[in-house]
Amino acid sequence: MNTSVAVSHHHGPASGISRWLFTTNHKDIGTLYLWFSFLMFLTGGCMALLIRAELFQPGLQLIQPDFFNQMTTMHGLIMVFGAVMPAFVGLANWMIPLMVGAPDMALPRMNNWSFWILPFAFAMMISTLFMDGGAPNFGWTFYAPLSTTYAPPSVTFFIFAVHMMGISSIMGAINIIATILNLRAPGMTMMKLPLFVWTWLITAFLLIAVMPVLAGVVTMMLMDIHFGTSFFDAAGGGDPVLFQHVFWFFGHPEVYIMILPAFGIVSEIIPTFARKKLFGYASMVYATASIAVLSFVVWAHHMFTVGLPLAGELFFMFATMLIAVPTGVKVFNWVATMFRGSMTFETPMLFALAFVVLFTIGGFSGLMLAIAPVDFQYHDTYFVVAHFHYVLVPGAVFAIMAGAYYWLPKWCGNYYNETMGKVHFWCNFIGVNITFFPMHFIGLAGMPRRIPDYALQFADFNAIATVGAFIFGFSQLIFLYNVISCIRNSKPASDRVWEGSHGLEWTVASPAPYHSFSEPPQVK
Amino acid sequence: MIKTILGFPALLLFATASQAAWEVNLPRGVTEVSREIYDLHMTIFWICVAIGVVVFGVMLWSVIYHRKSRGAKAHNFHENVLVEIAWTVVPFIILIAMAVPATATLIKMYDNTEAELDIQITGYQWKWRYQYLGEEIDFFSSLSTPRDQINNAAVKGEHYLLEVDNPLVIPAGKKVRFLLTANDVIHSWWVPDLAVKKDAIPGFINEAWTIVNEPGVYRGQCAELCGKDHGFMPIVVEVKAQADFDAWLAEVKQADQDKAAEAQKSWTLAELMETGEEVYNKACLACHQANGEGIPGVFPGLKNSPIALGDPGPHIDVVLNGKQGTAMQAFRDQLTAVELAAVITYERNAWGNKVGDLVTPAQIAELKE
Ligand SMILES: [Cu+2]
Ligand SMILES: [Cu+2]
């Protein structure tokens, strides 16, 4: 027994490609997830740039409407399921064991499998672009019957791909829960967990609750398409609105799946660079939990115009407005953490500060959208597009960037180039706002979303948005270059990396050794 | 190619010049409900601005004054029950203050009673059908912007993409109720100035209403993704004073009768081909394409297709009755007998199809009975 433990201590990574194919090491798998998500981020980003290029001027220039719809659909699906979610899982893989003092994830083999499903799922989904009839063209929300009776034949591959992504996510979530609940170091009580770990624990429960619902809804589509049922087909006695209820029962918690871990990351970074303990730790935990609970009773705010009964409209309006309370608490806590701190502004902190401001702006437009009577004007316009891009891009994506810069020295053992990091940040910050802020205006002025061409009064702001999108898109190459040079060679990082850092992950060496915490640390 | 390259900058200039203003806000609209909605929108907007000023103000203050480079030393407070309760309760009270007027407006929007005119609106891929209940008026309304403008081969008009062949006409000052449904996929009928947006869903009938006092022309668009030409199914509502509205009703009824009479006259192949091409471009081109070759895997081609070259019976049947469960709609009620006969004849004799026979309007009129 003792000897086998000693042996496993000394064996490092396998060599060559088999290291990555067969690895059960949480750090390797985390790395795989992160690279995969970056690749998907660039892929989905290219699609976004094609969309923006077509919308640069009124008239059809580059692509035809059917392909435009394929691009909006694939862009949404790839960004949600391929870029943002795997990035968070990658960060969880790397950091949760280090943060709770565990030697690895609780279920390492399953961990390997959850990752390796993803490349196949996305290869299959992207291959639909080359099929007869083209890729899915019904929007990432794939409302029936546009996605069933009226869908291109490739919809079946899309359904299969969604099933695979769902399985991957559920396994990832189980693994995270098992790790957090069972592998904490002695003395690491629940109320001592870093907030990133807390937010991921809650996110993982959300995933387990709603991914099966997504699987259910795509299975019902499959039955309608191939096995003669009529779940969503009015002509056969079915109900197209049922689709939306089931979809958004998954979809709303899904948006919190994409933002709660971001809250966690920012709650790690701000205290480090403000050199001050996080304000209101306990209220942060409770706020996260209440957002998660509320996320199950607000789904129909996406459906205010489908003809819900008045009582339903009112219920979903009030419940949605209520979410502003715990979300507000979080923002106030972050600001209170900075207040009377001793701040410095390294790249991770810049991204975190931009997150707080721009996510809050996205929260404001969210609050406006919650007001049901007004939503009749906002719904399905660019105002909604502006809203969810504000919470997802400078929200989720900035938090991921912040996390990547923050932990990169721990992962690679080297500092990234700070100047280049700041240039990357400012390009992102400016690009994001030039892209998405004008969308509020064109949405209010009446431009519907998902249209390949538009009336002339929307022309100027669309042109501006396109310029912003190209700035944002191409500045990601700076990040790529910075990460690669950081891995190759650069200034070696100390174990603590940052002056104000705190927590178990900073007690191991930089770069973090292949096996860490084989002896559990003692947390006081 | 050269022409497109040269024409492009000119079009750019035109696009900028013809653009009236940098619209940045919701229109106030022309109905009581639209104005209430606008006021709610502005209220919640200013509430957000006020909260933003406070939160971002404190943040900016800290960023400027509590930075290490200024020698700021970190304090070590990290909780305060009173403050935390305050910033939970205060937003809650603000929200209640906001919910009250919102609820009142919503209740008003849901009052569909006592309408003076009922219009059924049906969404089709990619046009709207308007049926005036009790008036025997029934017509389709689709985009009238020429394809050349969309493809940048012609200068774009003032109402580019927001113009239709047959606008919806309603009387001023009357409560008009819309009954919305759809024939194929979900659409959404939206006119910002009336603040009416309601989904048109197959198998459901949704209700919405409006009272517009100002005669005028109000434009909108389909708001729910409904397939390829979702961006090309605008809505135009013409509000007319009661007397003008009555005159319009009479005119439309007369025109319908004239059309019915036309079916009985005898048509030559050339005449039918000419009308047929027009109808095809308006009603069929979106799917089956200008060259009749369709889009592989989605919309079948008609060029050299067995159905267009074979016996006319099945061809007539599919155009009149559509194909259940596919994007091919029934055109029986969408087109007149003349238009149907013409378009079928056209398909059988265009793009190198040479059947040479002619489907007569009289024949179709009989089938339509
Ligand atoms: Cu939602
Ligand atoms: Cu539409």
Side-chain angles (χ1 to χ4, degrees):
Chain A
M1 181 65 201
N2 265 337
T3 44
S4 81
V5 169
V7 168
S8 75
H9 272 189
H10 293 290
H11 94 87
S15 58
I17 182 79
S18 59
R19 165 174 178 184
W20 302 106
L21 285 177
F22 306 125
T23 183
T24 55
N25 180 288
H26 73 102
K27 300 184 183 84
D28 282 353
I29 295 174
T31 305
L32 285 171
Y33 264 111
L34 289 169
W35 277 112
F36 175 79
S37 87
F38 191 67
L39 183 69
M40 287 296 118
F41 182 56
L42 295 185
T43 313
C46 289
M47 294 175 175
L49 291 187
L50 195 53
I51 293 169
R52 282 312 325 166
E54 174 55 51
L55 292 173
F56 182 57
Q57 286 293 314
L60 295 178
Q61 283 91 19
L62 301 170
I63 53 179
Q64 289 304 305
D66 190 52
F67 189 67
F68 182 92
N69 289 344
Q70 295 176 31
M71 285 295 102
T72 53
T73 307
M74 296 298 268
H75 162 73
L77 291 169
I78 288 176
M79 287 304 197
V80 168
F81 295 104
V84 172
M85 292 172 67
F88 283 132
V89 182
L91 293 173
N93 255 293
W94 250 105
M95 300 319 299
I96 288 178
L98 289 178
M99 286 178 153
V100 302
D104 204 311
M105 295 294 280
L107 307 159
R109 274 170 230 235
M110 191 165 90
N111 205 9
N112 172 292
W113 197 30
S114 2
F115 171 76
W116 276 107
I117 287 177
L118 284 182
F120 294 95
F122 280 89
M124 178 151 63
M125 205 171 76
I126 292 173
S127 73
T128 58
L129 277 168
F130 307 101
M131 293 177 184
D132 237 12
N137 54 8
F138 29 66
W140 86 274
T141 51
F142 52 99
Y143 280 9
L146 188 62
S147 62
T148 52
T149 317
Y150 295 85
S154 61
V155 64
T156 308
F157 291 88
F158 154 82
I159 291 172
F160 195 34
V162 169
H163 271 302
M164 288 165 72
M165 294 167 204
I167 290 171
S168 160
S169 292
I170 291 173
M171 291 195 304
I174 291 173
N175 214 342
I176 285 167
I177 294 174
T179 308
I180 298 172
L181 295 186
N182 296 314
L183 297 191
R184 275 170 291 131
M188 177 62 87
T189 58
M190 292 304 275
M191 287 315 266
K192 276 192 193 151
L193 285 178
L195 258 172
F196 179 65
V197 178
W198 252 120
T199 52
W200 240 118
L201 180 65
I202 292 168
T203 304
F205 277 105
L206 285 182
L207 274 169
I208 291 181
V210 301
M211 289 316 272
V213 178
L214 175 67
V217 78
V218 294
T219 306
M220 287 154 94
M221 284 168 60
L222 187 77
M223 303 289 284
D224 272 12
I225 295 168
H226 293 295
F227 301 105
T229 57
S230 300
F231 288 110
F232 308 131
D233 177 13
D239 179 350
V241 177
L242 173 67
F243 174 91
Q244 297 182 27
H245 282 294
V246 184
F247 177 82
W248 285 114
F249 188 80
F250 147 79
H252 194 83
E254 168 69 20
V255 307
Y256 289 118
I257 288 166
M258 292 190 284
I259 203 65
L260 295 185
F263 290 166
I265 294 170
V266 169
S267 305
E268 299 300 322
I269 291 174
I270 291 178
T272 300
F273 295 97
R275 292 167 182 74
K276 183 160 158 274
K277 225 174 143 182
L278 182 71
F279 188 89
Y281 172 90
S283 69
M284 282 297 213
V285 173
Y286 301 137
T288 311
S290 34
I291 291 175
V293 171
L294 281 173
S295 77
F296 286 104
V297 293
V298 297
W299 76 87
H301 64 208
H302 300 269
M303 303 166 57
F304 281 143
T305 65
V306 302
L308 299 177
L310 180 61
E313 298 266 317
L314 290 174
F315 172 81
F316 285 105
M317 171 167 81
F318 299 149
T320 305
M321 291 169 80
L322 214 51
I323 292 195
V325 175
T327 314
V329 167
K330 291 194 152 275
V331 174
F332 300 143
N333 280 338
W334 290 321
V335 173
T337 307
M338 294 175 222
F339 190 70
R340 299 260 153 104
S342 169
M343 279 197 272
T344 52
F345 303 94
E346 289 84 346
T347 310
M349 182 62 161
L350 289 177
F351 272 104
L353 294 178
F355 171 94
V356 174
V357 174
L358 301 182
F359 170 79
T360 304
I361 292 178
F364 286 149
S365 55
L367 182 57
M368 296 171 76
L369 285 158
I371 312 291
V374 196
D375 183 69
F376 278 81
Q377 292 283 49
Y378 303 143
H379 178 69
D380 266 338
T381 68
Y382 261 80
F383 190 76
V384 177
V385 177
H387 159 70
F388 69 73
H389 281 92
Y390 259 84
V391 291
L392 279 176
V393 184
V397 173
F398 273 22
I400 292 165
M401 292 288 177
Y405 280 113
Y406 183 54
W407 286 307
L408 207 52
K410 178 55 63 189
W411 300 337
C412 311
N414 298 318
Y415 283 106
Y416 57 87
N417 181 319
E418 189 62 52
T419 316
M420 219 191 298
K422 284 186 170 139
V423 172
H424 175 226
F425 166 75
W426 284 110
C427 289
N428 271 358
F429 183 79
I430 293 167
V432 150
N433 284 299
I434 297 182
T435 313
F436 299 116
F437 210 79
M439 291 186 185
H440 292 112
F441 302 145
I442 45 179
L444 293 175
M447 178 164 158
R449 65 194 282 204
R450 294 169 167 163
I451 58 176
D453 192 6
Y454 47 80
L456 300 178
Q457 68 262 35
F458 309 126
D460 296 342
F461 284 126
N462 267 297
I464 293 172
T466 299
V467 172
F470 276 82
I471 297 175
F472 178 74
F474 281 92
S475 68
Q476 304 318 325
L477 298 177
I478 307 174
F479 177 61
L480 179 64
Y481 182 82
N482 205 350
V483 171
I484 290 174
S485 47
C486 172
I487 296 170
R488 286 269 174 87
N489 55 12
S490 174
K491 208 174 89 198
S494 68
D495 291 356
R496 282 198 65 197
V497 179
W498 310 108
E499 188 188 45
S501 56
H502 51 94
L504 283 179
E505 77 262 42
W506 309 107
T507 62
V508 301
S510 293
Y514 199 61
H515 295 287
S516 42
F517 294 131
S518 306
E519 301 285 333
Q522 190 66 43
V523 180
K524 288 172 285 304
Chain B
M1 186 62 203
I2 301 274
K3 221 175 104 198
T4 354
I5 291 174
L6 291 180
F8 198 61
L11 289 176
L12 284 188
L13 271 180
F14 183 78
T16 335
S18 71
Q19 198 252 309
W22 293 68
E23 284 295 339
V24 294
N25 204 357
L26 217 56
R28 289 202 73 208
V30 293
T31 66
E32 197 188 319
V33 168
S34 76
R35 290 189 196 110
E36 269 183 35
I37 287 178
Y38 176 84
D39 292 342
L40 280 173
H41 159 74
M42 289 318 288
T43 314
I44 185 79
F45 171 73
W46 287 117
I47 290 177
C48 290
V49 169
I51 300 174
V53 166
V54 174
V55 173
F56 300 150
V58 175
M59 194 171 152
L60 194 67
W61 176 274
S62 316
V63 167
I64 294 173
Y65 293 102
H66 306 151
R67 52 166 68 213
K68 197 181 168 207
S69 56
R70 277 190 162 229
K73 290 268 171 304
H75 289 222
N76 61 7
F77 61 90
H78 57 83
E79 56 195 357
N80 183 327
V81 178
L82 265 178
V83 172
E84 290 176 61
I85 290 178
W87 68 38
T88 312
V89 173
V90 172
F92 192 75
I93 293 169
I94 297 176
L95 288 175
I96 292 176
M98 194 59 225
V100 173
T103 304
T105 304
L106 196 63
I107 290 173
K108 192 179 281 180
M109 291 167 75
Y110 263 70
D111 174 17
N112 294 309
T113 55
E114 291 172 29
E116 291 160 279
L117 174 63
D118 284 329
I119 301 177
Q120 182 176 331
I121 302 179
T122 311
Y124 283 70
Q125 280 183 323
W126 295 287
K127 57 197 155 231
W128 297 99
R129 178 184 194 175
Y130 299 118
Q131 287 163 287
Y132 291 60
L133 302 186
E135 289 285 355
E136 288 189 359
I137 288 190
D138 177 356
F139 61 90
F140 283 80
S141 173
S142 52
L143 180 74
S144 63
T145 302
R147 280 274 141 188
D148 277 355
Q149 291 189 14
I150 296 170
N151 294 325
N152 307 309
V155 172
K156 297 181 182 14
E158 187 190 353
H159 298 299
Y160 177 68
L161 296 189
L162 295 179
E163 50 199 351
V164 298
D165 49 3
N166 305 308
L168 174 69
V169 179
I170 59 172
K174 292 274 160 70
K175 183 163 182 175
V176 181
R177 178 166 52 177
F178 305 120
L179 304 165
L180 295 118
T181 184
N183 179 60
D184 34 50
V185 300
I186 302 177
H187 305 262
S188 186
W189 197 84
W190 179 36
V191 180
D193 280 323
L194 313 189
V196 173
K197 182 186 285 147
K198 216 40 183 277
D199 292 358
I201 304 171
F204 279 73
I205 297 204
N206 273 333
E207 288 178 279
W209 64 271
T210 193
I211 301 176
V212 190
N213 290 319
E214 296 291 303
V217 178
Y218 306 103
R219 293 165 202 277
Q221 278 177 276
C222 176
E224 181 64 60
L225 178 63
C226 54
K228 182 169 83 61
D229 281 353
H230 163 58
F232 304 92
M233 54 182 293
I235 295 155
V236 179
V237 179
E238 244 182 84
V239 181
K240 288 187 192 285
Q242 185 68 43
D244 297 338
F245 178 74
D246 292 336
W248 175 82
L249 278 183
E251 198 181 300
V252 174
K253 285 178 185 162
Q254 184 58 44
D256 280 350
Q257 282 173 11
D258 293 350
K259 275 187 198 146
E262 269 197 347
Q264 301 311 323
K265 94 173 218 242
S266 85
W267 288 72
T268 67
L269 182 61
E271 283 171 333
L272 283 177
M273 285 295 285
E274 194 189 324
T275 315
E277 183 170 6
E278 271 167 35
V279 178
Y280 183 86
N281 289 346
K282 198 181 97 187
C284 324
L285 176 141
C287 299
H288 296 292
Q289 304 296 302
N291 56 12
E293 286 170 13
I295 298 178
V298 194
F299 305 118
L302 301 170
K303 182 178 172 175
N304 290 330
S305 81
I307 201 151
L309 298 178
D311 186 52
H315 191 169
I316 295 175
D317 178 59
V318 69
V319 179
L320 260 63
N321 302 319
K323 248 301 182 21
Q324 257 297 316
T326 74
M328 182 61 200
Q329 310 154 5
F331 284 91
R332 175 186 288 271
D333 300 324
Q334 300 194 35
L335 302 173
T336 66
V338 173
E339 289 170 327
L340 285 164
V343 77
I344 297 169
T345 306
Y346 177 76
E347 285 177 350
R348 303 174 71 73
N349 296 289
W351 324 294
N353 287 357
K354 274 211 168 44
V355 185
D357 66 358
L358 135 174
V359 176
T360 65
Q363 192 182 344
I364 302 288
E366 207 164 292
L367 283 172
K368 276 186 86 172
E369 287 304 305

